[in-house]
Amino acid sequence: MPPTLPIAKNVFGEPLVPCSFKPLTGYFRDGCCKTNEDDVGTHIICTVMSATFLVFSKACGNDLSTPRPEWNFPGLKPGDQWCLCASRWVEAWRAGVAPKVVLESTNQKVLEMVSLDDLRKHAFALREDD
């Protein structure tokens, strides 16, 4: 049985809100942007995919739009929410193509790399009826 993880917190210090169940995301494929020392990519930023970002990521060597059934990966499309690697988001941010961020679902660990103010500038607002 895997070890129990501590309760993950979001960038506001509150319990992490799930990012996406469809497509199922997260390093642990539990819908949340949780991490541990085995998560080399640090998949902790809940993002909303855009066409621009998907093209950028593919050009950088990480094709997120092509389905990979052997990995149970459906391929992403604009509007999908996904726990993105922190380093890829920072790279896209510096290039001016960072996808929107769902702050409530983004792991507070990202604050070691990016300020909350900078994340807020890319915030995706959840609708009340979601």
Side-chain angles (χ1 to χ4, degrees):
M1 183 170 195
T4 305
L5 296 172
I7 294 176
K9 305 262 180 164
N10 65 25
V11 296
F12 303 118
E14 300 166 348
L16 199 59
V17 173
C19 179
S20 176
F21 294 111
K22 192 169 183 182
L24 187 58
T25 191
Y27 177 73
F28 299 102
R29 290 298 191 262
D30 62 357
C32 293
C33 299
K34 298 176 192 169
T35 191
N36 70 9
E37 61 278 349
D38 295 329
D39 179 11
V40 178
T42 319
H43 298 79
I44 56 175
I45 301 183
C46 182
T47 58
V48 179
M49 295 291 106
S50 68
T52 303
F53 173 75
L54 289 169
V55 168
F56 172 82
S57 188
K58 187 173 185 176
C60 291
N62 188 18
D63 181 0
L64 295 172
S65 53
T66 301
R68 300 296 301 254
E70 67 273 23
W71 295 333
N72 199 26
F73 178 70
L76 302 176
K77 61 188 180 316
D80 285 344
Q81 290 187 191
W82 192 251
C83 292
L84 191 62
C85 294
S87 60
R88 177 66 68 198
W89 189 89
V90 169
E91 184 180 22
W93 172 51
R94 290 181 177 149
V97 294
K100 293 290 186 186
V101 176
V102 181
L103 297 172
E104 297 84 356
S105 302
T106 294
N107 195 304
Q108 69 181 359
K109 185 170 175 58
V110 76
L111 298 176
E112 296 170 11
M113 298 176 72
V114 183
S115 74
L116 183 54
D117 285 342
D118 286 327
L119 290 171
R120 284 182 196 266
K121 291 174 187 171
H122 293 84
F124 177 80
L126 294 174
R127 293 191 323 249
E128 289 297 318
D129 56 8
D130 280 352

